[in-house]
Amino acid sequence: MSLIITPGLLDQTCAVAQELLRFAQPADAVLSAFFRAHRCGPRERAFIAEAAYALLRKKRSLSAWAGDDAPRHLALAALVREIGLSQRALDAALSKRDAAWLAERRAAAEPALGLAERTDLPDWLAARLVALMPEEELVMLARALNRPAPLDLRVNAMKAERAEVLAQLAGEGIAATACPYAPEGIRLAGKPSLAKHPLFLSGAIEVQDEGSQLLGHLVAPKRGEMVVDFCAGAGGKTLLLGALMRSTGRLYAFDVSDKRLARLKPRLARSGLSNVHPVVIAHENDTQVKRLAGKCDRVLVDAPCSGLGTLRRNPDLKWRQTPESVAELIVKQGNILVAAAKLLKPGGRLVYATCSLLPEENENIVDAFLAIHPQFVRRVAMEMLAAQNIDVALAGSDLQLLPHIHGTDGFYAAVLERTT
């Protein structure tokens, strides 16, 4: 590594580790706040961020190797065990105490690891997941979740075609391939900065995981329809739905956070869409929701969830979520699904989706809903995608994407249709 590790840089890395391990804020917010408060060059920022995310991904196994949970020790363990820094690279930055501690740990025998430590998961989450799959598969899933996610793009069909974008990227020396499933998806080999790229500024591309793109294709809105993205957030799926509608009909983007919807505005301006109507709502039973009851053709419910399928991007979530926080989310998810379903007209389609791996946030919510709403039926997700020439192998009626199988974030989706 050409970057020289100074005592100051090491201290900054350890200070970030200490703040991250409080788990008071999301990791990206902690890093952003630290970089605003401390002067760091781009290479130093990249080094600190890489060490921080390595620590969060492998905290359990690093703690076992370190023999304790001291933030400085975990940061040093991440640098040595995950980043691969040699003793020589660290020598100039280490205090005598740090050097002695590292030498002692290197000389010690490798610790025996339990399942939660081998998978770098909290005990409660490892227990829930191993109840769903063989231990060998859980290890493969955890290995995939503990790798950084690739950078996926979605081509805006209103402004470009995938083949054209791939050709332009290749001409610029940016290695990219077509995603295996999503028709508009592109996967980059690296992670170039695209914020000022002409394709991004023109709205021809958006950053969006391939799994997220497939949710839009399950909704499959048609031209001229009335469609609702019930939990729109910053609007990545909203923009895909609008493009699939060819900017016709009416597409409502509902969210309880005006800050999240505010992030949709510049993306919407770039997209070229004119059919999107962002609406801030107070809750799922807001009067602005109720006025659309029985009028909508399609509804997407990307429900607030634990986010445990996105650990490749947000490894801190596995340490910040708890069984209690998941239990609170389950109540909210059920209420949102019931409220959103009221918007559909007979023959309409609702897609309930999460980026969770847990059945209690996924099929259990849908099963409970169907048990008391006989006017809704479950459709086979694989058939819905096959009708659009999207070939994804799925084990059951619902969509369940997993990083070690599909190369996407972990996503769940059920397709429900109102019959009467």
Side-chain angles (χ1 to χ4, degrees):
M1 174 179 287
S2 57
L3 178 65
I4 297 174
I5 313 302
T6 64
L9 179 56
L10 181 59
D11 286 344
Q12 286 184 320
T13 304
C14 293
V16 168
Q18 183 166 346
E19 189 59 35
L20 284 171
L21 292 171
R22 299 183 201 278
F23 299 116
Q25 290 183 294
D28 56 353
V30 171
L31 286 166
S32 295
F34 183 86
F35 293 143
R36 285 195 301 269
H38 299 80
R39 183 174 295 179
C40 302
R43 293 169 69 207
E44 287 75 16
R45 286 197 298 269
F47 174 83
I48 292 170
E50 183 182 9
Y53 278 93
L55 188 163
L56 291 170
R57 288 190 178 98
K58 297 297 188 75
K59 185 172 79 74
R60 288 299 296 273
S61 55
L62 290 173
S63 178
W65 183 81
D68 60 52
D69 289 322
R72 189 173 186 88
H73 289 169
L74 290 178
L76 288 169
L79 293 175
V80 172
R81 303 276 288 186
E82 298 302 318
I83 307 301
L85 289 186
S86 65
Q87 183 79 36
R88 182 179 178 182
L90 277 172
D91 267 346
L94 292 174
S95 66
K96 288 184 178 179
R97 178 181 292 181
D98 287 339
W101 179 84
L102 264 181
E104 178 187 326
R105 298 321 304 160
R106 281 183 162 128
E110 286 290 323
L113 303 180
L115 179 62
E117 291 166 324
R118 284 192 290 125
T119 54
D120 279 287
L121 296 171
D123 289 337
W124 73 269
L125 183 55
R128 291 199 186 184
L129 292 177
V130 80
L132 303 175
M133 63 187 72
E135 185 175 311
E136 297 78 11
E137 185 175 4
L138 174 55
V139 171
M140 289 190 291
L141 170 61
R143 190 176 296 135
L145 288 170
N146 285 326
R147 294 192 192 106
L151 182 59
D152 289 353
L153 308 177
R154 177 183 59 80
V155 176
N156 179 1
M158 297 288 294
K159 294 201 167 188
E161 294 184 2
R162 181 163 67 174
E164 297 171 345
V165 173
L166 284 169
Q168 182 170 337
L169 293 174
E172 296 170 1
I174 299 175
T177 57
C179 285
Y181 307 119
E184 303 91 2
I186 288 176
R187 181 159 295 160
L188 301 186
K191 293 189 177 180
S193 176
L194 297 172
K196 296 182 180 179
H197 194 283
L199 287 169
F200 180 78
L201 294 174
S202 70
I205 60 171
E206 279 282 346
V207 175
Q208 187 175 20
D209 183 75
E210 182 181 23
S212 177
Q213 296 179 44
L214 291 181
L215 299 185
H217 285 282
L218 282 179
V219 179
K222 299 176 181 177
R223 297 186 187 209
E225 290 187 330
M226 183 175 291
V227 179
V228 173
D229 188 350
F230 204 83
C231 306
K237 299 177 191 70
T238 307
L239 298 176
L240 171 55
L241 296 176
L244 291 174
M245 297 166 72
R246 304 303 296 180
S247 199
T248 64
R250 291 182 72 82
L251 173 55
Y252 291 96
F254 288 161
D255 203 89
V256 295
S257 170
D258 56 349
K259 290 182 179 179
R260 284 196 292 264
L261 281 180
R263 296 202 297 272
L264 169 60
K265 290 184 179 179
R267 303 173 78 187
L268 185 56
R270 291 194 302 267
S271 72
L273 297 174
S274 59
N275 66 335
V276 178
H277 304 272
V279 180
V280 179
I281 58 175
H283 45 73
E284 67 270 16
N285 293 309
D286 192 296
T287 54
Q288 297 191 86
V289 176
K290 289 183 175 180
R291 68 185 177 85
L292 294 179
K295 298 179 180 178
C296 299
D297 299 283
R298 315 268 166 154
V299 176
L300 171 61
V301 178
D302 184 11
C305 70
S306 63
L308 294 170
T310 68
L311 296 182
R312 301 187 305 171
R313 306 169 196 280
N314 308 297
D316 55 309
L317 279 177
K318 60 186 171 183
W319 313 118
R320 294 174 57 226
Q321 295 289 9
T322 65
E324 293 75 24
S325 65
V326 172
E328 292 177 7
L329 285 164
I330 291 169
V331 175
K332 184 180 295 185
Q333 290 156 355
N335 292 339
I336 289 173
L337 177 54
V338 169
K342 294 175 182 176
L343 304 185
L344 283 182
K345 63 174 66 169
R349 176 184 298 180
L350 183 149
V351 173
Y352 171 83
T354 77
C355 49
S356 175
L357 304 170
L358 301 176
E360 50 263 56
E361 297 187 79
N362 296 338
E363 54 264 41
N364 292 5
I365 296 288
V366 175
D367 291 344
F369 172 83
L370 291 174
I372 56 175
H373 294 86
Q375 70 273 38
F376 284 85
V377 295
R378 194 184 223 125
R379 298 301 187 196
V380 179
M382 193 161 64
E383 294 177 359
M384 303 289 104
L385 294 174
Q388 301 167 69
N389 298 314
I390 300 172
D391 183 17
V392 184
L394 301 172
S397 296
D398 301 338
L399 179 85
Q400 180 71 76
L401 300 174
L402 296 167
H404 67 299
I405 296 174
H406 302 99
T408 67
D409 284 344
F411 278 103
Y412 168 85
V415 183
L416 308 179
E417 289 190 358
R418 182 178 172 183
T419 57
T420 57

